[in-house]
Amino acid sequence: MINETVLIIGANGQLGSVLSEELQKIHGKDNVIASDIYSNSTFDGVFEIIDATDLNAIENIVNKYAVSQIYHLAAILSAKGEANPLKTWDLNMSMMLNVFEVSRTNNVKKVFFPSSIAVFGDKAPLENTPQSAFLNPATVYGMSKVAGENWAQYYFNKYELDVRSIRYPGIIGYQSMPGGGTTDYAVEIYHSAVKQEKYSCFLNPETKLPMIFMDDAIRSTIELMQAPKNSIKTRTSYNLGSMSFSPSEIASEIQKLYPNFKVEYNVDFRQEIADKWPKSINDDQAREDWNWKPKYDLKSMTVLMLEKLEEKYNTSTLK
Ligand code: SER
């Protein structure tokens, strides 16, 4: 077992809740400190409430447990962020800078900072979007991620803080729900299917976006964090590819197993956000530098999502 003490900020979130458990398996239950702004009575392990906009609150916990790695996952996402742009900027930036600054001044060895496909805008090629494409995000969330990527690189260059980052596609898992993103439909749709409900989709049927299954997203994060330091050549954030599909394609895949499943389309403001994002991602750099390779595609993910959600809702007899 690797002798590290790991702090997760945003451990109640879609990714954080699953990642916390995986990190417990790697580092041991007592060496993983899960934290969030809200308490979590169901978490099986060490949990602390941290308001990450408060630098001292982070610093206290880092010192209390002699934290050596931080996974900073707390942020307001793309769709929710548009309701209050200034607050989103303020929160996302202050939390991120607090984490970097506490890490620098308290001997934290490694930091994970998630970025997103939201960093791209209409100046980047939509298909096979390259690592080095021009970044002109249209959302405040995307702007905060571009700034975060540059700060990550700055802390690495100036202070040798080992910050590592991935530009996640939309993440799809059965374990947790996303909150406030543009790709959320791709999780919600499975829940509706298993509950035998019609799904009302907020993106139009042909909107293709890059997505990734939770298991692959978790594995990519752990593999990046475990890679030798000198193999990490990109210090802003890595493009990460896995699968790409549209609402009509995921609906058809679900209908192979649930023939009666129906989707209606009620497009809202999130369509405009999605239209400026890549449809597919070129991740050659991640493949080259730390051997990234996705395992799941739409078909294998769909089988597993439906199976696991059937267990969760106890509906295995419904099909
Ligand atoms: N899934 C996120 C969102 O939709 C993208 O990072 O906001």
Side-chain angles (χ1 to χ4, degrees):
M1 194 169 294
I2 309 159
N3 193 13
E4 300 278 354
T5 304
V6 177
L7 171 65
I8 300 135
I9 296 175
N12 292 352
Q14 185 200 11
L15 181 63
S17 54
V18 187
L19 189 62
S20 301
E21 283 185 27
E22 280 309 306
L23 290 172
Q24 283 181 332
K25 290 180 199 159
I26 296 171
H27 299 289
K29 223 177 196 175
D30 294 344
N31 297 320
V32 173
I33 321 303
S35 78
D36 206 284
I37 192 162
Y38 303 112
S39 64
N40 184 343
S41 54
T42 59
F43 183 73
D44 184 13
V46 186
F47 191 93
E48 293 276 358
I49 292 180
I50 297 182
D51 174 357
T53 62
D54 177 357
L55 185 142
N56 293 325
I58 304 173
E59 191 163 44
N60 287 341
I61 298 300
V62 164
N63 289 327
K64 179 174 171 187
Y65 296 97
V67 167
S68 59
Q69 294 188 10
I70 300 182
Y71 290 73
H72 171 52
L73 307 177
I76 299 181
L77 296 189
S78 61
K80 192 172 172 205
E82 293 308 286
N84 200 334
L86 294 184
K87 184 179 159 210
T88 301
W89 175 259
D90 197 30
L91 277 176
N92 287 358
M93 295 304 291
S94 66
M95 292 191 292
M96 177 267 298
L97 287 172
N98 285 345
V99 169
F100 290 174
E101 197 53 17
V102 167
S103 300
R104 174 180 84 80
T105 53
N106 290 274
N107 212 23
V108 174
K109 300 275 182 286
K110 266 189 218 175
V111 178
F112 181 77
F113 168 71
S115 186
S116 159
I117 51 168
V119 296
F120 298 110
D122 60 9
K123 294 276 188 289
L126 286 182
E127 290 283 0
N128 200 27
T129 307
Q131 174 71 44
S132 58
F134 188 78
L135 305 180
N136 65 322
T139 59
V140 180
Y141 170 69
M143 285 159 56
S144 73
K145 289 298 183 190
V146 173
E149 289 188 4
N150 285 307
W151 275 109
Q153 181 170 253
Y154 182 88
Y155 267 81
F156 176 73
N157 287 338
K158 194 164 171 106
Y159 305 117
E160 287 180 40
L161 181 65
D162 190 357
V163 188
R164 304 178 181 200
S165 176
I166 283 172
R167 290 172 178 157
Y168 290 124
I171 300 175
I172 301 164
Y174 52 85
Q175 303 95 326
S176 53
M177 294 303 284
T182 304
T183 56
D184 295 12
Y185 91 86
V187 180
E188 295 165 2
I189 196 169
Y190 286 112
H191 287 257
S192 292
V194 170
K195 290 193 280 181
Q196 287 201 319
E197 290 167 0
K198 187 196 263 183
Y199 181 63
S200 167
C201 185
F202 55 78
L203 297 181
N204 76 40
E206 308 316 326
T207 312
K208 197 171 132 192
L209 288 170
M211 301 280 183
I212 189 168
F213 186 48
M214 180 65 83
D215 289 33
D216 275 342
I218 297 283
R219 189 170 52 81
S220 70
T221 310
I222 289 167
E223 286 176 4
L224 173 69
M225 288 298 270
Q226 289 180 342
K229 193 172 175 181
N230 60 8
S231 67
I232 309 300
K233 310 236 165 59
T234 294
R235 286 294 175 172
T236 49
S237 188
Y238 279 98
N239 275 14
L240 193 82
S242 180
M243 59 183 95
S244 286
F245 57 77
S246 63
S248 69
E249 286 166 331
I250 191 174
S252 309
E253 203 56 47
I254 293 171
Q255 281 156 352
K256 287 182 189 165
L257 294 155
Y258 288 76
N260 297 326
F261 178 56
K262 298 222 166 10
V263 179
E264 62 179 24
Y265 293 92
N266 295 303
V267 168
D268 68 17
F269 73 100
R270 288 170 277 193
Q271 184 66 46
E272 212 180 309
I273 298 176
D275 284 342
K276 299 200 175 77
W277 284 359
K279 295 179 190 303
S280 60
I281 294 290
N282 181 306
D283 61 0
D284 288 351
Q285 200 72 53
R287 287 172 188 258
E288 248 168 62
D289 290 358
W290 44 280
N291 301 319
W292 165 241
K293 202 170 184 294
K295 282 192 182 148
Y296 288 86
D297 59 11
L298 176 58
K299 192 181 166 64
S300 52
M301 174 176 78
T302 299
V303 170
L304 211 58
M305 282 294 289
L306 295 174
E307 187 187 306
K308 294 288 184 184
L309 288 177
E310 279 182 3
E311 282 171 22
K312 182 182 174 120
Y313 290 111
N314 201 13
T315 53
S316 47
T317 52
L318 284 182
K319 268 195 288 175

